[in-house]
Amino acid sequence: MLPTKFPRHLWPLSLHFFQKRLFLGEHDLTDLARRLGAPLYLYDLATLDHAISAYRHGLRGWPGPSLIAYASKAWLSLPLAQLLARRGLGFDVVSVGELEIAQRGGADPRLIHIHGNNKSPGLLARAADAGVGGIVVDNLHELTLLEKMQPPAPLSLWLRLNPDQSPDTHAYRQTGHYGSKFGLSWEEAQIAARRIAQAPHLQLTGLHAHIGSQFFDLKPLFRAIDRLAALAAWVQGQGLGEVRYFSPGGGLGVPYHPDDPAPRLVEAVRGLSEYAARAWQERVGGPYPTLALEPGRSLIARAGLALYTVGAMRHLTTGQRIIAVDGGMSDNLRPALYGARYTAALAHAPLAPTAGPARIVGPLCESGDFLIDSIDLPKAHPGDVLVVPSSGAYHLSMASNYNGMLRPAVWLHARGKLIPMQRRETVADLLRRDFPLPPQ
Ligand code: LLP
């Protein structure tokens, strides 16, 4: 049983309280961090499956076929790619690295599409070789590269429209306004569609927009959908292609902090699907294409936990309480980069009375190296385990070796068992690419 004041919705579904301590399934989190080492990342499969099924249910608001293409940038690894491929998901990838991991995980290449605002000729050739379901044309330069290719089979292209919409999120996460580097303006999209129609080895098969990430008010997304539908009507009206994939991108927000909005995922996806269906019916008509959604965070964030060990503690002369843990901006850059706010709990005493506000910092040589600017926490001691929920998206994928930090081990909690996903890095990993100088 979890006490009501605990922000349950931020934590994985398999999280339990037992004897007033935090457990993931049957596993005491303090013991796990001590046994497996910290920092440690845990993913809960039940939570991931729950989010996938929320997407599947919500997508019933769209009368045609649909595709959930996981935005690999949120975090990709071989075992995660396998899990998602086995569940029939597609993948949105942006690099040879993501493409290859998705393929090695068993992804059907036809369910992979590739993004990026500066795809190299090599990357385009690799995507063509793989037979991906869509190369998403981001700009006219890229189209010129595609025109010069001589693929054995015609390439399926999607156009990424910049719909000039700004969702309410951090400026770094807005991608769909005219000041952004991403996507084609309306006029460029029309030019691109005409040029594709002239090239026998290119086919226009999809339309796409992605306006940003971590937003809750869906109105800008609905306006983007209207513009995409208008473009679909124009493309088909001109006979320039058949829009078989209709993709309004990803971006649905998730709560990280008890004060954040906490919409029900299934309802957000249903609202989005129903809106898209109406827009298609009103502006385009005819058979429904595949609605391709590209969720990253809303699929995986809640499934992930980050576990740290408490080390140095200080009371500054300013009165501030500082708690230093063994991970920081090297495994979670989000507080430093976006001012992202998190919550946390002590694994052995999550509900002990607070000893006042504390700042949670990491061990790196930066004053920007903090995980939580201010949180009410009980009295902590060196060796205690601090757990940060909502850690599944954009932590490990943006992790670095700054200060020679070793990236954490990752384990999966699946049906009561713990399965390794990634081992902790070693110093040998840090040295793997280095050439020693010849002897003097
Ligand atoms: N599709 C495209 C084309 C994208 O660029 C992204 C995210 C997504 C889908 C997935 O968005 P999601 O559903 O995960 O919100 N590092 C930032 C997020 C950057 C997102 C980049 N693009 C963060 O930690 O908040």
Side-chain angles (χ1 to χ4, degrees):
M1 276 291 288
L2 291 179
T4 44
K5 77 170 196 184
F6 195 76
R8 183 77 191 87
H9 62 290
L10 304 178
W11 293 77
L13 294 176
S14 305
L15 187 96
H16 302 293
F17 271 64
F18 182 63
Q19 293 173 343
K20 298 192 180 160
R21 299 163 72 89
L22 288 180
F23 279 67
L24 191 62
E26 292 167 10
H27 306 274
D28 180 315
L29 291 182
T30 306
D31 291 349
L32 275 188
R34 291 193 181 143
R35 192 154 57 83
L36 303 174
L40 174 69
Y41 275 72
L42 300 174
Y43 279 90
D44 180 41
L45 184 57
T47 310
L48 177 60
D49 276 335
H50 189 258
I52 294 173
S53 101
Y55 264 89
R56 292 208 167 111
H57 278 83
L59 276 163
R60 292 190 189 146
W62 173 259
S66 61
L67 171 66
I68 307 170
Y70 173 64
S72 308
K73 53 185 80 68
W75 183 56
L76 196 63
S77 61
L78 182 66
L80 180 62
Q82 289 178 307
L83 279 175
L84 298 175
R86 285 177 194 172
R87 284 159 174 71
L89 269 69
F91 292 81
D92 137 15
V93 301
V94 297
S95 62
V96 171
E98 288 183 351
L99 174 59
E100 191 117 333
I101 296 172
Q103 282 191 287
R104 293 212 197 170
D108 178 346
R110 292 166 303 178
L111 304 185
I112 299 178
H113 61 274
I114 182 151
H115 277 296
N117 67 303
N118 190 21
K119 303 181 197 71
S120 66
L123 178 56
L124 292 172
R126 179 70 188 76
D129 276 355
V132 297
I135 297 176
V136 188
V137 179
D138 201 274
N139 54 65
L140 295 177
H141 164 76
E142 181 181 332
L143 185 55
T144 306
L145 298 178
L146 290 160
E147 283 167 337
K148 290 184 187 149
M149 287 171 68
Q150 296 177 325
L155 299 178
S156 285
L157 305 187
W158 301 6
L159 296 182
R160 175 166 180 168
L161 177 70
N162 180 322
D164 199 20
Q165 295 300 322
S166 301
D168 183 10
T169 189
H170 193 284
Y172 295 174
R173 290 192 297 248
Q174 294 180 331
T175 55
H177 58 84
Y178 278 168
S180 144
K181 65 176 182 174
F182 298 104
L184 302 152
S185 67
W186 179 268
E187 292 71 26
E188 287 171 328
Q190 290 184 319
I191 292 168
R194 289 209 168 93
R195 278 170 55 179
I196 292 169
Q198 302 291 313
H201 67 290
L202 304 179
Q203 268 177 1
L204 176 50
T205 60
L207 295 180
H208 173 274
H210 172 77
I211 60 169
S213 190
Q214 182 61 4
F215 58 86
F216 296 97
D217 175 5
L218 301 188
K219 285 194 279 305
L221 183 57
F222 292 167
R223 289 193 290 271
I225 289 173
D226 285 336
R227 300 213 177 160
L228 266 192
L231 185 60
W234 181 84
V235 165
Q236 298 197 158
Q238 299 285 314
L240 296 174
E242 187 198 338
V243 178
R244 284 185 256 146
Y245 289 91
F246 188 70
S247 177
L252 298 185
V254 306
Y256 287 88
H257 187 274
D259 293 346
D260 289 341
R264 275 174 55 85
L265 184 55
V266 62
E267 274 153 31
V269 177
R270 190 183 303 123
L272 164 60
S273 306
E274 287 173 354
Y275 190 91
R278 277 198 303 279
W280 184 270
Q281 218 26 264
E282 280 165 21
R283 288 170 193 264
V284 196
Y288 287 96
T290 297
L291 181 66
L293 299 187
E294 286 173 343
R297 187 188 326 261
S298 51
L299 273 189
I300 196 103
R302 185 180 172 189
L305 289 178
L307 281 64
Y308 304 97
T309 315
V310 171
M313 276 168 306
R314 308 183 52 193
H315 283 273
L316 303 186
T317 47
T318 57
Q320 204 175 21
R321 177 163 68 127
I322 306 281
I323 300 179
V325 297
D326 49 7
M329 68 191 294
S330 49
D331 66 274
N332 182 5
L333 189 58
R334 302 190 71 259
L337 192 56
Y338 315 111
R341 291 194 317 159
Y342 285 82
T343 187
L346 291 175
H348 72 287
L351 295 168
T354 174
R359 180 172 164 86
I360 313 295
V361 303
L364 294 121
C365 304
E366 283 274 343
S367 290
D369 174 34
F370 68 98
L371 290 171
I372 302 180
D373 187 37
S374 176
I375 180 171
D376 274 330
L377 268 191
K379 194 164 165 32
H381 301 92
D384 287 352
V385 173
L386 186 81
V387 192
V388 178
S390 307
S391 292
Y394 302 108
H395 287 208
L396 295 171
S397 56
M398 299 202 298
S400 77
N401 295 120
Y402 182 43
N403 278 184
M405 292 291 280
L406 304 173
R407 280 176 288 186
V410 189
W411 289 70
L412 179 71
H413 174 254
R415 285 172 226 94
K417 295 213 166 60
L418 280 177
I419 303 170
M421 295 184 91
Q422 268 182 345
R423 65 163 171 78
R424 186 177 310 286
E425 272 184 326
T426 62
V427 175
D429 291 323
L430 297 186
L431 286 165
R432 205 167 41 183
R433 295 178 309 123
D434 294 6
F435 296 107
L437 288 179
Q440 268 187 334

